[in-house]
Amino acid sequence: MIDLDELAAAEVRRAEDRRPPLSNVVARAARRRRRRRGVAVGVALGLTGLIGAAVVTGADSGDRQEVVSVDEVTTTAEPTSRIPEPIRVMPPSVSAPGGRWLDELFAELAAQLPTISEAELRAVVDRGAIDSRYRPAGTVGFEGLLLSGEYDIDEATTAAELLQAMSDRFTAAADELGYGAGPTPLDLAPYELVIVASIVEAEASTEADRPRIARVVYNRLEAELALGIDAICIYGSGDRDIELTAELLSDYGSFFAAGYDCRSGVGLPPTPIATPSRASLAAAIDPTPKPVADDGSEIAWLYYVPLDREGNQFFTDDLDEFVDQRRRAFDEGLLP
Amino acid sequence: MDREPVDFERWYERHHPRLVASVGAVFADDELAADAADEAIVRAYERWDRVSVMASPEGWAYRVAINVARRRLRRRGLEHRLLLRSRPEPSPAPAGELWQVVAGLGERQRLAIALRHVGHLPEAEIAAVMGITRGGVSSTLRAAYRNLRLATEADRDHGLQPAEEVT
């Protein structure tokens, strides 16, 4: 008789015998990602070992597309022995794109920096080596409190210096926009405004839509409706590639961190969900005013849905209109 | 947080072999299994603030590992078509006996078997990992056992309930 549990246990023991130390797993993943971000391109062009490869590395850091990686074609085994790391030179500045999760941001920064690793950047935050006036006591992590943009660096710049500069620029922008004092939409606390800014950053594709999306967030908070924004659930799932199926969402507790339930949870998520830009910080504190209808009443948009291929959204307070446009967006391939 | 902090390294040591064994049993490729398990572990490590407070960090890791493996397979097929214009080399089957037993099953049944017998996940979590209903898990497992001619003892040993719905 076949005993599946026994066979499975044997299989697990076999895997235990081959289990590498955790540090190897982490280091290997970092190498794999760095390679995928550009070295493979250098290899394909025959540039390995040339300083020219440094220019290629990080050139595509602005997008998250997976580059077809030569090392995975030539060998599926650990390829370090076959493909040498290229020589990389320190660029004069690094680009910190908006909308990224903190760990994604670290990966993209490290890919541009020959001397600073993802692990070092993470360690700076973990040991509390940088600070922000906008981080309430007891907050876990530093998500949302570094500003996107271009940062000047030189050979001597350390991981802590770079991240502190990003935090300082965030603080300066927030101060200048009035986060520190004065009235705020719905009387929200500064950190809550940052959370809204991060949602705007994750959702808006055009500059004009940023303050409009902020308006929808405030309207839904005011109406005590769930925000219904997938980017929040995706953040809570910790998995960019997740498909938010009805089955998965119906069992929200299993695979999502508490507080990021975008479909039935009311209120803001507990932390920002992305690295914001200055434009999103501005939109969060200065949202589009509610439009006024012909009869003088205010229109409270509650929905938005893709309108065109330029990334503009269609805003409405009317569920039927929303459903119609949503169907159109599906038909035109604007929604997956 | 009113939860015991989980020591990541201990969590890794416990679950990495199970992830490798599960993915290996589904896709019959030891290297791919190790790769996918590594990627799931590293993502969990980087996002531990969120993953550690989920009801099932393990279930999360299985889902990510399985998805990573599927994507790698798709990409591998694509690369071979684009660059080499040939069929991908068949990978050597894992040495373990488990694969030899489940090799005749479809991917979905192999996955259900792996999650139940290697991962020891409860039915609700298997459902969430596979993106199907709990009834769907029962019927998938029952069909797998039937195919393996294990129906009677499996139903008795694993206390399977009649399917609530068939997907």
Side-chain angles (χ1 to χ4, degrees):
Chain A
M1 192 200 301
I2 301 166
D3 185 336
L4 284 174
D5 287 322
E6 202 172 288
L7 291 177
E11 201 67 24
V12 172
R13 279 195 299 276
R14 201 165 67 84
E16 266 166 2
D17 293 341
R18 290 173 294 147
R19 180 186 56 211
L22 177 58
S23 53
N24 287 13
V25 172
V26 173
R28 202 161 52 193
R31 275 204 302 276
R32 206 162 41 221
R33 287 174 190 179
R34 214 161 51 217
R35 210 171 287 121
R36 205 172 285 157
R37 284 206 165 79
V39 179
V41 180
V43 172
L45 297 173
L47 293 174
T48 319
L50 299 179
I51 291 178
V55 182
V56 178
T57 306
D60 67 338
S61 59
D63 68 52
R64 301 284 305 170
Q65 277 180 347
E66 295 216 0
V67 175
V68 171
S69 142
V70 169
D71 61 56
E72 292 189 6
V73 178
T74 50
T75 168
T76 49
E78 173 56 28
T80 36
S81 55
R82 302 177 70 168
I83 300 174
E85 295 269 329
I87 300 162
R88 302 193 297 165
V89 292
M90 195 68 141
S93 69
V94 285
S95 153
R100 304 292 193 265
W101 298 347
L102 205 53
D103 62 276
E104 295 170 342
L105 181 68
F106 289 168
E108 295 195 22
L109 291 174
Q112 300 171 62
L113 297 166
T115 55
I116 297 174
S117 69
E118 261 179 273
E120 280 173 85
L121 292 164
R122 196 176 309 117
V124 166
V125 168
D126 287 350
R127 66 170 193 267
I130 55 166
D131 55 34
S132 169
R133 268 196 286 112
Y134 284 96
R135 185 170 180 237
T139 306
V140 178
F142 224 84
E143 191 75 78
L145 298 171
L146 304 175
L147 198 67
S148 70
E150 292 285 323
Y151 289 85
D152 291 338
I153 50 163
D154 58 42
E155 286 81 6
T157 304
T158 65
E161 284 164 355
L162 173 61
L163 296 185
Q164 188 63 57
M166 295 175 69
S167 169
D168 289 346
R169 206 187 282 177
F170 174 96
T171 302
D175 284 352
E176 204 182 294
L177 291 165
Y179 275 56
T184 63
L186 308 187
D187 290 325
L188 292 185
Y191 189 65
E192 293 175 306
L193 291 183
V194 178
I195 295 173
V196 175
S198 75
I199 294 171
V200 169
E201 185 71 39
E203 289 286 292
S205 317
T206 68
E207 290 307 309
D209 277 350
R210 290 182 203 264
R212 296 182 186 135
I213 287 170
R215 167 51 59 203
V216 172
V217 170
Y218 293 129
N219 288 347
R220 295 190 75 96
L221 288 175
E222 224 166 13
E224 296 190 15
L225 290 167
L227 293 182
I229 292 172
D230 286 353
I232 299 172
C233 271
I234 294 171
Y235 184 85
S237 80
D239 178 10
R240 275 279 183 210
D241 306 316
I242 195 171
E243 264 183 72
L244 295 176
T245 59
E247 284 88 357
L248 212 52
L249 288 165
S250 69
D251 184 24
Y252 183 85
S254 295
F255 287 163
F256 298 85
Y260 299 92
D261 182 352
C262 55
R263 297 295 167 86
S264 52
V266 173
L268 290 171
T271 66
I273 60 160
T275 303
S277 62
R278 192 182 192 288
S280 291
L281 287 175
I285 196 164
D286 189 17
T288 303
K290 288 180 187 168
V292 178
D294 293 341
D295 64 2
S297 64
E298 283 183 332
I299 299 171
W301 294 329
L302 294 175
Y303 313 98
Y304 56 84
V305 58
L307 176 67
D308 58 30
R309 297 204 178 275
E310 280 68 60
N312 294 301
Q313 304 275 342
F314 170 77
F315 294 82
T316 178
D317 64 335
D318 185 288
L319 182 60
D320 292 338
E321 245 181 34
F322 165 71
V323 171
D324 280 351
Q325 179 57 38
R326 198 176 152 78
R327 192 172 305 125
R328 215 166 297 140
F330 272 119
D331 292 346
E332 291 173 20
L334 301 171
L335 280 172
Chain B
M1 233 152 281
D2 51 3
R3 223 181 130 97
E4 288 288 303
V6 187
D7 176 358
F8 187 83
E9 188 126 18
R10 283 221 318 272
W11 187 82
Y12 161 74
E13 283 171 6
R14 174 164 169 70
H15 294 291
H16 185 269
R18 291 172 190 283
L19 285 168
V20 173
S22 296
V23 179
V26 176
F27 298 109
D29 184 330
D30 277 349
E31 249 162 43
L32 176 74
D35 232 36
D38 285 3
E39 185 64 31
I41 289 287
V42 169
R43 288 194 201 172
Y45 174 69
E46 291 169 343
R47 295 162 192 171
W48 196 234
D49 57 335
R50 277 165 272 164
V51 176
S52 63
V53 297
M54 290 174 190
S56 174
E58 297 77 55
W60 183 92
Y62 281 101
R63 192 171 51 70
V64 170
I66 296 287
N67 286 340
V68 166
R70 282 198 182 122
R71 270 196 303 280
R72 295 259 156 100
L73 281 175
R74 264 204 304 274
R75 198 170 56 209
R76 210 186 275 174
L78 185 73
E79 283 171 356
H80 278 270
R81 276 200 303 281
L82 286 177
L83 299 173
L84 305 178
R85 294 178 184 180
S86 67
R87 291 183 167 277
E89 298 272 313
S91 305
E97 269 182 71
L98 180 61
W99 165 252
Q100 289 160 29
V101 169
V102 300
L105 301 177
E107 184 186 309
R108 189 171 142 120
Q109 292 180 8
R110 290 202 302 271
L111 179 55
I113 292 279
L115 295 173
R116 165 55 66 90
H117 293 276
V118 183
H120 293 296
L121 296 187
E123 210 161 275
E125 286 180 23
I126 297 176
V129 172
M130 295 181 67
I132 60 177
T133 62
R134 291 175 66 163
V137 174
S138 312
S139 54
T140 303
L141 277 172
R142 243 199 323 274
Y145 295 140
R146 227 176 6 249
N147 289 337
L148 298 172
R149 298 184 208 294
L150 290 171
T152 4
E153 60 268 32
D155 278 355
R156 195 179 54 238
D157 293 353
H158 302 288
L160 285 180
Q161 300 302 309
E164 289 140 29
E165 61 186 284
V166 178
T167 51

